[in-house]
PDB file of all heavy atoms in Angstrom:
ATOM      1  N   ILE J 537     -31.457  36.992  17.306  1.00 53.00           N
ATOM      2  CA  ILE J 537     -30.488  37.720  18.196  1.00 53.00           C
ATOM      3  C   ILE J 537     -30.916  37.481  19.665  1.00 53.00           C
ATOM      4  O   ILE J 537     -32.110  37.747  19.964  1.00 53.00           O
ATOM      5  CB  ILE J 537     -30.510  39.086  17.835  1.00 53.00           C
ATOM      6  CG1 ILE J 537     -29.909  39.333  16.389  1.00 53.00           C
ATOM      7  CG2 ILE J 537     -29.518  39.860  18.719  1.00 53.00           C
ATOM      8  CD1 ILE J 537     -30.142  40.697  15.847  1.00 53.00           C
ATOM      9  N   THR J 538     -30.088  37.239  20.516  1.00 58.00           N
ATOM     10  CA  THR J 538     -30.215  37.339  21.970  1.00 58.00           C
ATOM     11  C   THR J 538     -29.310  38.354  22.443  1.00 58.00           C
ATOM     12  O   THR J 538     -28.438  38.891  21.690  1.00 58.00           O
ATOM     13  CB  THR J 538     -29.787  35.954  22.659  1.00 58.00           C
ATOM     14  OG1 THR J 538     -28.434  35.779  22.524  1.00 58.00           O
ATOM     15  CG2 THR J 538     -30.593  34.768  22.065  1.00 58.00           C
ATOM     16  N   ASP J 539     -29.304  38.728  23.788  1.00 62.00           N
ATOM     17  CA  ASP J 539     -28.523  39.829  24.244  1.00 62.00           C
ATOM     18  C   ASP J 539     -27.029  39.503  24.169  1.00 62.00           C
ATOM     19  O   ASP J 539     -26.233  40.398  24.075  1.00 62.00           O
ATOM     20  CB  ASP J 539     -28.871  40.167  25.675  1.00 62.00           C
ATOM     21  CG  ASP J 539     -30.212  40.870  25.680  1.00 62.00           C
ATOM     22  OD1 ASP J 539     -30.729  41.402  24.603  1.00 62.00           O
ATOM     23  OD2 ASP J 539     -30.922  40.885  26.719  1.00 62.00           O
ATOM     24  N   ASP J 540     -26.754  38.184  24.384  1.00 76.00           N
ATOM     25  CA  ASP J 540     -25.335  37.848  24.566  1.00 76.00           C
ATOM     26  C   ASP J 540     -24.586  37.691  23.281  1.00 76.00           C
ATOM     27  O   ASP J 540     -23.419  38.046  23.261  1.00 76.00           O
ATOM     28  CB  ASP J 540     -25.242  36.356  25.331  1.00 76.00           C
ATOM     29  CG  ASP J 540     -25.807  36.397  26.766  1.00 76.00           C
ATOM     30  OD1 ASP J 540     -25.772  37.567  27.191  1.00 76.00           O
ATOM     31  OD2 ASP J 540     -26.214  35.394  27.160  1.00 76.00           O
ATOM     32  N   GLU J 541     -25.178  37.124  22.144  1.00 79.00           N
ATOM     33  CA  GLU J 541     -24.379  36.769  21.078  1.00 79.00           C
ATOM     34  C   GLU J 541     -23.736  38.013  20.367  1.00 79.00           C
ATOM     35  O   GLU J 541     -22.508  37.938  20.002  1.00 79.00           O
ATOM     36  CB  GLU J 541     -25.364  35.987  20.055  1.00 79.00           C
ATOM     37  CG  GLU J 541     -25.463  34.561  20.549  1.00 79.00           C
ATOM     38  CD  GLU J 541     -26.697  33.930  20.091  1.00 79.00           C
ATOM     39  OE1 GLU J 541     -27.566  34.658  19.514  1.00 79.00           O
ATOM     40  OE2 GLU J 541     -26.935  32.659  20.426  1.00 79.00           O
ATOM     41  N   PRO J 542     -24.435  39.079  20.193  1.00 83.00           N
ATOM     42  CA  PRO J 542     -23.694  40.201  19.484  1.00 83.00           C
ATOM     43  C   PRO J 542     -22.535  40.766  20.415  1.00 83.00           C
ATOM     44  O   PRO J 542     -21.438  41.051  19.944  1.00 83.00           O
ATOM     45  CB  PRO J 542     -24.815  41.366  19.420  1.00 83.00           C
ATOM     46  CG  PRO J 542     -26.024  40.646  19.396  1.00 83.00           C
ATOM     47  CD  PRO J 542     -25.853  39.425  20.168  1.00 83.00           C
ATOM     48  N   GLN J 543     -22.789  40.752  21.741  1.00 84.00           N
ATOM     49  CA  GLN J 543     -21.746  41.283  22.561  1.00 84.00           C
ATOM     50  C   GLN J 543     -20.544  40.281  22.636  1.00 84.00           C
ATOM     51  O   GLN J 543     -19.357  40.679  22.668  1.00 84.00           O
ATOM     52  CB  GLN J 543     -22.271  41.353  24.039  1.00 84.00           C
ATOM     53  CG  GLN J 543     -23.425  42.256  24.309  1.00 84.00           C
ATOM     54  CD  GLN J 543     -23.077  43.677  23.755  1.00 84.00           C
ATOM     55  OE1 GLN J 543     -21.972  44.125  23.719  1.00 84.00           O
ATOM     56  NE2 GLN J 543     -24.108  44.408  23.139  1.00 84.00           N
ATOM     57  N   LYS J 544     -20.759  39.012  22.603  1.00 85.00           N
ATOM     58  CA  LYS J 544     -19.621  37.995  22.461  1.00 85.00           C
ATOM     59  C   LYS J 544     -18.891  38.250  21.208  1.00 85.00           C
ATOM     60  O   LYS J 544     -17.696  38.230  21.178  1.00 85.00           O
ATOM     61  CB  LYS J 544     -20.237  36.580  22.547  1.00 85.00           C
ATOM     62  CG  LYS J 544     -20.685  36.095  23.855  1.00 85.00           C
ATOM     63  CD  LYS J 544     -21.237  34.768  23.833  1.00 85.00           C
ATOM     64  CE  LYS J 544     -21.886  34.164  25.102  1.00 85.00           C
ATOM     65  NZ  LYS J 544     -22.539  32.892  24.978  1.00 85.00           N
ATOM     66  N   GLY J 545     -19.640  38.366  20.079  1.00 87.00           N
ATOM     67  CA  GLY J 545     -19.022  38.567  18.879  1.00 87.00           C
ATOM     68  C   GLY J 545     -18.125  39.832  18.894  1.00 87.00           C
ATOM     69  O   GLY J 545     -17.006  39.906  18.316  1.00 87.00           O
ATOM     70  N   LEU J 546     -18.676  40.941  19.394  1.00 88.00           N
ATOM     71  CA  LEU J 546     -17.912  42.172  19.449  1.00 88.00           C
ATOM     72  C   LEU J 546     -16.648  42.106  20.287  1.00 88.00           C
ATOM     73  O   LEU J 546     -15.597  42.697  19.903  1.00 88.00           O
ATOM     74  CB  LEU J 546     -18.848  43.373  19.965  1.00 88.00           C
ATOM     75  CG  LEU J 546     -19.880  43.885  19.096  1.00 88.00           C
ATOM     76  CD1 LEU J 546     -20.973  44.618  19.821  1.00 88.00           C
ATOM     77  CD2 LEU J 546     -19.288  44.697  17.909  1.00 88.00           C
ATOM     78  N   ARG J 547     -16.650  41.339  21.339  1.00 87.00           N
ATOM     79  CA  ARG J 547     -15.468  41.086  22.226  1.00 87.00           C
ATOM     80  C   ARG J 547     -14.331  40.455  21.250  1.00 87.00           C
ATOM     81  O   ARG J 547     -13.139  40.898  21.319  1.00 87.00           O
ATOM     82  CB  ARG J 547     -15.750  40.295  23.405  1.00 87.00           C
ATOM     83  CG  ARG J 547     -14.508  39.980  24.242  1.00 87.00           C
ATOM     84  CD  ARG J 547     -14.964  39.358  25.502  1.00 87.00           C
ATOM     85  NE  ARG J 547     -15.523  38.006  25.396  1.00 87.00           N
ATOM     86  CZ  ARG J 547     -14.856  36.868  25.253  1.00 87.00           C
ATOM     87  NH1 ARG J 547     -13.556  36.888  25.321  1.00 87.00           N
ATOM     88  NH2 ARG J 547     -15.517  35.671  25.221  1.00 87.00           N
ATOM     89  N   PHE J 548     -14.799  39.434  20.588  1.00 88.00           N
ATOM     90  CA  PHE J 548     -13.846  38.752  19.730  1.00 88.00           C
ATOM     91  C   PHE J 548     -13.287  39.603  18.539  1.00 88.00           C
ATOM     92  O   PHE J 548     -12.066  39.557  18.305  1.00 88.00           O
ATOM     93  CB  PHE J 548     -14.354  37.436  19.172  1.00 88.00           C
ATOM     94  CG  PHE J 548     -14.503  36.315  20.203  1.00 88.00           C
ATOM     95  CD1 PHE J 548     -15.746  35.839  20.535  1.00 88.00           C
ATOM     96  CD2 PHE J 548     -13.308  35.810  20.702  1.00 88.00           C
ATOM     97  CE1 PHE J 548     -15.784  34.856  21.473  1.00 88.00           C
ATOM     98  CE2 PHE J 548     -13.347  34.737  21.669  1.00 88.00           C
ATOM     99  CZ  PHE J 548     -14.679  34.316  22.021  1.00 88.00           C
ATOM    100  N   ILE J 549     -14.195  40.372  17.889  1.00 88.00           N
ATOM    101  CA  ILE J 549     -13.754  41.142  16.733  1.00 88.00           C
ATOM    102  C   ILE J 549     -12.874  42.293  17.139  1.00 88.00           C
ATOM    103  O   ILE J 549     -11.941  42.632  16.424  1.00 88.00           O
ATOM    104  CB  ILE J 549     -15.005  41.593  15.932  1.00 88.00           C
ATOM    105  CG1 ILE J 549     -14.478  41.839  14.436  1.00 88.00           C
ATOM    106  CG2 ILE J 549     -15.571  42.794  16.447  1.00 88.00           C
ATOM    107  CD1 ILE J 549     -13.969  40.690  13.696  1.00 88.00           C
TER     108      ILE J 549
END
Side-chain angles (χ1 to χ4, degrees):
I537 300 167
T538 68
D539 290 338
D540 292 339
E541 281 151 356
Q543 300 305 329
K544 287 177 183 176
L546 285 166
R547 177 170 66 85
F548 284 116
I549 203 63

